[in-house]
Amino acid sequence: MHTVQVKPQEIFQALADPTRIRIVRLLAETDEEACLCELVDSLLEPQYKLSRHVKALRQAGLLSAAKEGRWIYHRLVEGIPYLDRLYEALKVLPDVDGCFARDVESFRQRMCLREGGRCRIGIQTPELAAGGE
Amino acid sequence: MHTVQVKPQEIFQALADPTRIRIVRLLAETDEEACLCELVDSLLEPQYKLSRHVKALRQAGLLSAAKEGRWIYHRLVEGIPYLDRLYEALKVLPDVDGCFARDVESFRQRMCLREGGRCRIGIQTPELAAGGE
DNA sequence: TGCATACATGCGATATCATGCATGTATGCA
DNA sequence: TGCATACATGCATGATATCGCATGTATGCA
C-alpha cells in the first residue's frame, strides 16, 4: 500500500527542490510513466542526480515504481485527495523561463523512441550517464 | 503587488516545516486573519519561533501583513491559482494525531477574547512570550 | 516623557540536504 | 558465462535551515 505514514512536511519537503518539481510536473502534465533514462534525456540532468531525486519522491509517497527487466517505470501516485490537489497546483505554476515547456517537449520527443510503448534504449545523452563524460 | 518573483521551490520550501503548515492550515480552515499573539496562544509555540515562521511565509508570498498599531494581522494571500490549490491540499491533509483540530479549537477560543473584532490583549501564555519563562 | 508591550532579529550550535565523483548492483543478451 | 547496460549509492563537501537565548525596535498609554 501507499501510506507508510508520510508526514505532511515530508511531502512538501519532497517538492522543495527545482529538479523534483520538474519531475512531478512533467509526469502530471503528460499523465505518463517514465523510466530513468527517459527522464535523464528529457530534463538533461545527470543520471545519479535524477536517481536520487526519484528515490526521494518515492519515499515521500509521490511516485510509485514498476520494474520491467532492466527498466524501472515511475509514475505519480494518484487517487489520494491531497496529492491530486498538489498535482493540480503544480500544473498551474508559472513557467517564467519556459523550463517546464521545454521539459514536456523533450519528453514527448523522447517518447517517440519507444518501441511498442516501452523504452528499449538507454540514455541518449552520453555525458549525463554514469561516470560523467 | 504580490509577485516579487517567488520561485516554485520556495513556495514548497515554505511549507516544508510542520509549524508553518500548522499556521497556513489554521488560516485556511478558519478563513481568518490573526496577529502573532493569537497564533502563539493557539499553536502554543514560542513568540520568536512563530515570528520567524510567519516571516518565512510572508517572504514566500503565502501571507500578507496588515499593521494596526502594535498589532500586525496576518492572512493568506488568496486569488492566485496555484496558491488557492495549495490551500485546498492543506485542508484535506490527514490529521492523524489531531494536532490541526486542536489548533483550530484553541484558535476559536482565543478569538472569543477579541473586542470589536480586534485583538486587544497580548500573549496569554506567559512562558511563550519573549524572554522565556 | 517614560514605561509596558507586540513583534523582530543577531548569534552560535546543531542538523539536514544537494551535489559531484566514483563505484556498486542487477538484469538481459551474445 | 561474460559483458554491456539500467539504475543505485557511499563518501566528502559546501550550503542552508531550525532552534534557543538574549536583546533590539516600535507603538500606545499613563
Side-chain angles (χ1 to χ4, degrees):
Chain A
M1 273 301 293
H2 167 246
T3 33
V4 202
Q5 273 303 354
V6 179
K7 296 176 190 162
Q9 67 263 27
E10 293 174 335
I11 297 167
F12 289 102
Q13 177 62 40
L15 291 170
D17 177 278
T19 306
R20 290 199 292 265
I21 290 181
R22 289 171 69 195
I23 295 172
V24 174
R25 181 166 190 179
L26 177 66
L27 297 179
E29 286 201 354
T30 62
D31 197 34
E32 267 289 353
E33 60 185 358
C35 60
L36 194 62
C37 52
E38 289 172 330
L39 290 176
V40 170
D41 286 328
S42 303
L43 306 187
L44 298 177
E45 296 284 346
Q47 176 266 335
Y48 64 82
K49 185 176 174 181
L50 292 183
S51 174
R52 270 198 266 251
H53 283 310
V54 162
K55 179 181 180 180
L57 290 169
R58 210 174 341 105
Q59 290 179 330
L62 293 171
L63 290 186
S64 64
K67 192 167 182 175
E68 285 189 23
R70 270 184 297 183
W71 284 267
I72 299 179
Y73 289 90
H74 306 278
R75 63 163 50 249
L76 291 184
V77 171
E78 296 181 89
I80 294 177
Y82 59 89
L83 290 188
D84 289 341
R85 295 179 198 233
L86 277 183
Y87 305 149
E88 291 306 311
L90 280 172
K91 285 201 267 187
V92 297
L93 273 178
D95 182 21
V96 280
D97 53 358
C99 170
F100 295 131
R102 274 195 302 277
D103 291 346
V104 171
E105 177 56 24
S106 301
F107 181 69
R108 293 203 191 282
Q109 291 193 11
R110 182 57 163 75
M111 292 289 279
C112 296
L113 301 182
R114 282 194 182 184
E115 299 172 19
R118 298 285 90 179
C119 180
R120 290 282 167 258
I121 58 179
I123 296 175
Q124 300 299 294
T125 321
E127 64 269 26
L128 298 178
E133 49 185 313
Chain B
M1 273 303 293
H2 168 246
T3 32
V4 203
Q5 271 302 353
V6 179
K7 295 177 190 162
Q9 66 263 29
E10 293 174 335
I11 296 167
F12 289 103
Q13 177 62 40
L15 290 169
D17 177 277
T19 305
R20 290 198 292 265
I21 290 180
R22 289 170 69 194
I23 296 172
V24 174
R25 181 166 188 180
L26 178 66
L27 297 178
E29 286 200 354
T30 62
D31 197 35
E32 266 289 353
E33 59 186 358
C35 60
L36 195 62
C37 52
E38 288 172 332
L39 290 176
V40 170
D41 286 328
S42 303
L43 306 186
L44 296 177
E45 297 284 348
Q47 176 266 335
Y48 63 82
K49 185 175 172 181
L50 292 184
S51 174
R52 270 197 267 249
H53 282 311
V54 162
K55 178 181 181 179
L57 290 170
R58 208 173 346 104
Q59 290 179 331
L62 293 171
L63 290 186
S64 64
K67 194 167 182 177
E68 286 189 21
R70 270 185 297 183
W71 284 267
I72 299 179
Y73 290 90
H74 306 276
R75 63 160 52 249
L76 292 184
V77 171
E78 295 181 90
I80 294 177
Y82 59 88
L83 290 187
D84 290 341
R85 291 172 202 241
L86 278 183
Y87 305 150
E88 292 306 312
L90 281 172
K91 285 201 266 186
V92 296
L93 273 177
D95 182 20
V96 281
D97 55 357
C99 171
F100 295 131
R102 274 195 303 277
D103 291 345
V104 171
E105 177 57 23
S106 301
F107 182 69
R108 293 203 191 281
Q109 291 192 11
R110 182 57 164 75
M111 292 289 279
C112 296
L113 301 183
R114 283 194 182 184
E115 299 172 19
R118 299 284 90 181
C119 180
R120 290 281 167 259
I121 59 180
I123 296 175
Q124 301 298 295
T125 321
E127 65 269 25
L128 298 177
E133 48 187 310

